């Protein structure tokens, strides 16, 4: 009986909050226009989002490369998760009407020089041994 009451309370809370949020969005539901969304970001948030996109690509590229090198399933699994992350950030960039900093999906290619150098360092260190590579996970 307690679990039914808890579920009912949770559903009621979601319904009330959902209605309040929709009303706050100006009657347009939760989907905001690109111009509205872009206006809500400051320069720091935009820079963070753009950096995050390349940083997620870096993680994906490193784990893909380590998988190709060592063939350990853990690297393939993590690379798959990082692909999900980079796609989510890419979607946010598109939603906010920003320019995607990833101009080349080639493994190891980055606009940010620091990330390009970090990729090389991580691949070099991870190439020493599979044990060293696994220490990144």
């Amino acid at each position: 009986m307690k679990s039914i009451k808890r579920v009912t309370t949770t559903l009621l809370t979601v319904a009330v909050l959902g209605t309040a949020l929709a009303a706050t969005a100006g009657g347009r539901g939760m989907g905001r226009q690109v111009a509205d969304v872009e206006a809500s970001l400051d320069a720091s948030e935009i820079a963070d989002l753009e950096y995050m996109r390349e940083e997620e690509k870096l993680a994906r590229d490193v784990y893909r490369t380590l998988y190709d090198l060592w063939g350990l399933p853990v690297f393939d699994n993590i690379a798959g998760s990082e692909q999900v992350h980079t796609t989510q950030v890419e979607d946010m960039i598109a939603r906010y009407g920003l320019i995607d900093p990833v101009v080349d999906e080639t493994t190891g290619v980055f606009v940010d020089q620091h990330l390009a150098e970090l990729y090389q360092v991580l691949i070099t260190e991870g190439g020493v041994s599979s044990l060293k590579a696994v220490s990144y996970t």
Side-chain angles (χ1 to χ4, degrees):
M1 188 59 102
K2 284 184 179 182
S3 63
I4 293 173
K5 185 175 181 180
R6 188 176 306 139
V7 169
T8 304
T9 303
T10 301
L11 290 174
L12 182 59
T13 303
V14 168
V16 170
L17 287 176
T19 304
L21 289 172
T24 303
R28 292 178 283 150
M30 295 303 288
R32 300 190 302 177
Q33 300 298 318
V34 171
D36 293 341
V37 175
E38 187 175 356
S40 68
L41 293 178
D42 64 31
S44 175
E45 291 167 325
I46 291 170
D48 288 346
L49 193 57
E50 291 170 343
Y51 182 79
M52 190 183 309
R53 169 75 161 114
E54 275 207 307
E55 188 178 45
E56 293 295 343
K57 180 185 180 298
L58 167 70
R60 180 203 63 195
D61 289 359
V62 166
Y63 286 113
R64 277 184 179 172
T65 302
L66 292 175
Y67 175 72
D68 290 344
L69 182 63
W70 299 110
L72 296 175
V74 66
F75 297 130
D76 193 37
N77 293 340
I78 297 171
S81 294
E82 296 301 342
Q83 178 60 55
V84 169
H85 300 159
T86 195
T87 300
Q88 289 172 335
V89 177
E90 180 182 26
D91 291 347
M92 288 180 68
I93 285 172
R95 186 179 334 137
Y96 284 93
L98 305 173
I99 296 170
D100 189 351
V102 175
V103 294
D104 188 343
E105 285 287 344
T106 303
T107 299
V109 175
F110 304 93
V111 171
D112 185 310
Q113 263 320 107
H114 172 72
L115 294 178
E117 292 167 7
L118 183 56
Y119 173 81
Q120 291 303 321
V121 167
L122 294 171
I123 293 309
T124 300
E125 290 179 7
V128 171
S129 72
S130 60
L131 183 59
K132 178 79 170 176
V134 169
S135 71
Y136 293 138
T137 60

